[in-house]
Amino acid sequence: FRVVAVTSCPTGIAHTYMAAEALENAAARAGIRLDVETQGSAGFRRLDPEVINNADGVILAHDVEVRDRARFGGKPTVDVGVKAAINRPDELLDEVRRKAERGETTEPSTGAVPMDAGSTAGEGFGSRLRRYLMTGISHMIPFVAAGGLLIALSFALGGYGITDAPSVIDSFSWLEKTSWAALFFQIGVAAFGFLVPVLAGYIAYGMADRPGLAPGFVGGAIALSVEAGFLGGLAAGLLAGSVVRLIQRVRIPDVLRGVMPVVVIPLVASAVVGLLMFVVVGKPIAAAQSGLTDWLAGLSGANAVLLGALLGLMMCTDLGGPVNKVAYAFATGGIAVAAPSEGALKVMAAVMAAGMVPPLAMALATVVRARLFTPAERENGKAAWVLGASFITEGAIPFAAADPLRVIPSAMAGGAVTGALSMAFGSTLRAPHGGAFVVPLIGGPLLYLVAIAAGTLVTTGLVVALKSARRPDATAAAGSVPAERGQVGVGVTAS
């Protein structure tokens, strides 16, 4: 029995490869030949068309749209979120085998139909909307990271006054530090200029495939021009995808099909989206964006602490999943401007601090009470130190997959503590990523580290206490489970 699989997640860093590893281990146990295409941030190598043609079934484990999904049409297909492949890979392989035995197949699809035409039957609107938004956010994050880190570096080199530096086109000196600071700042601002168009363009792409790109980017650019910002990008992407999908459903003569994706759809959809953004929805969204910015700028006292606790909870609820990404997108949307408010900088600091807590806590717990963890978890704990320090929350996923009812609530408690303390201490952050490596760029770095340490200790203490309180036979079983080095999701589930 041969299966091909695709795994992908919004950031393309951890979930993508953990899901692939879990499926490979499960396939090896079941005697199934499996070939996986990991559509991660480092790029991906496409499965050989002959391998796909010879496959008996397909598993698509993704939180963003699968690229070139039409390749897998006509095969028995299991279509799930990426976490399902991490948590229950054996079930997915059994399911695709049963579908193959019953002869269930998906309809062969073409580029002329919406990308979600092959989605799982009965998938709700909320699931589809989440996937569309995650597709846009996943493509936006590299621009956020590049632009934000360059701007933060420019402030470290030249101070906050570097925002008033003249263009480096006219005045750049190879030997002056301020010139390099100005260069980094202006490159970072240029990178930030793509955030909203990229977000809108790839939300539309997630809804309507390549025909959605042009109207999506146009709508995103208009959102910037009317000062609708991040919220405008979300609206423009959804509008563009919806308009394109409506056009795709119109029956047209065969002779015109060739010009539809390159002429008719971009022309009509861009015109409609532009009209809606300029005349109908642009101004109200701009007013909402302005209100959000003003609210962030005025955050103080108990309100700031409560917001920090809420964002900390969200960052640790699904450890890099959609809820985590909503909190992260909220924070990065606030700093993705040349002159972010103080409140937006505090929010970014709280979000990153909380996101570092779960993997750091799991790493510490494997050191403090090693006997409570399987050999595979202890190995994962060593890597979790680096992942946590690098602000990769997904480093805690192997522990959560093995024991979700103990690990996830503990992580949420620690994240809430860290987020609240970070806001209370008034720590600020201009970089959207980097973890411990951007501590020199943090306002109030010592108290910031105290907040992270406090949350880490809370989560570690809760995990150890909850695992120690489980039944003795479960604890014994945990110590006796054989595990491969680095295997994902090995351990005892919550009793």
Side-chain angles (χ1 to χ4, degrees), residues 173-273:
S173 172
W174 292 89
L175 301 179
E176 290 184 10
K177 185 174 68 173
T178 54
S179 288
W180 285 98
L183 175 66
F184 291 146
F185 176 78
Q186 290 166 30
I187 295 174
V189 170
F192 269 175
F194 287 96
L195 295 189
V196 174
V198 166
L199 174 68
Y202 279 96
I203 288 174
Y205 172 79
M207 297 178 69
D209 205 352
R210 292 180 184 177
L213 283 173
F217 272 86
V218 170
I222 294 172
L224 282 182
S225 69
V226 300
E227 298 182 351
F230 185 78
L231 295 178
L234 294 175
L238 293 172
L239 285 172
S242 300
V243 170
V244 171
R245 291 181 64 175
L246 287 173
I247 297 173
Q248 288 173 330
R249 286 178 167 84
V250 176
R251 297 179 64 87
I252 60 169
D254 292 341
V255 70
L256 296 178
R257 290 187 181 276
V259 299
M260 285 294 290
V262 294
V263 177
V264 178
I265 291 178
L267 171 63
V268 176
S270 296
V272 172
V273 172

Side-chain angles (χ1 to χ4, degrees), residues 222-413:
I222 294 172
L224 282 182
S225 69
V226 300
E227 298 182 351
F230 185 78
L231 295 178
L234 294 175
L238 293 172
L239 285 172
S242 300
V243 170
V244 171
R245 291 181 64 175
L246 287 173
I247 297 173
Q248 288 173 330
R249 286 178 167 84
V250 176
R251 297 179 64 87
I252 60 169
D254 292 341
V255 70
L256 296 178
R257 290 187 181 276
V259 299
M260 285 294 290
V262 294
V263 177
V264 178
I265 291 178
L267 171 63
V268 176
S270 296
V272 172
V273 172
L275 170 67
L276 293 172
M277 289 301 297
F278 271 127
V279 179
V280 181
V281 301
K283 288 184 178 179
I285 294 175
Q289 180 75 23
S290 177
L292 177 62
T293 302
D294 293 341
W295 177 68
L296 286 176
L299 274 178
S300 62
N303 290 335
V305 173
L306 289 174
L307 178 62
L310 174 61
L311 291 172
L313 281 172
M314 294 175 67
M315 288 298 294
C316 302
T317 296
D318 54 2
L319 305 176
V323 177
N324 171 285
K325 290 299 176 288
V326 167
Y328 182 70
F330 174 73
T332 55
I335 68 165
V337 293
S341 67
E342 188 80 3
L345 298 178
K346 292 178 181 178
V347 166
M348 188 69 248
V351 162
M352 190 172 81
M356 295 168 65
V357 166
L360 290 175
M362 293 303 105
L364 180 60
T366 59
V367 173
V368 174
R369 296 294 294 276
R371 67 178 182 81
L372 297 176
F373 298 90
T374 67
E377 288 175 326
R378 291 196 289 271
E379 286 297 317
N380 286 327
K382 297 175 183 177
W385 286 113
V386 177
L387 295 173
S390 303
F391 180 38
I392 299 177
T393 314
E394 291 89 339
I397 287 176
F399 303 92
D403 196 356
L405 295 184
R406 294 182 178 87
V407 171
I408 292 178
S410 302
M412 292 172 65

Side-chain angles (χ1 to χ4, degrees), residues 1 30-32 92-102:
F1 193 72
I32 293 174
L92 301 185
L93 291 168
D94 288 341
E95 183 179 350
V96 76
R97 187 193 288 273
R98 290 195 300 271
K99 284 193 173 187
E101 291 171 351
R102 294 194 299 265

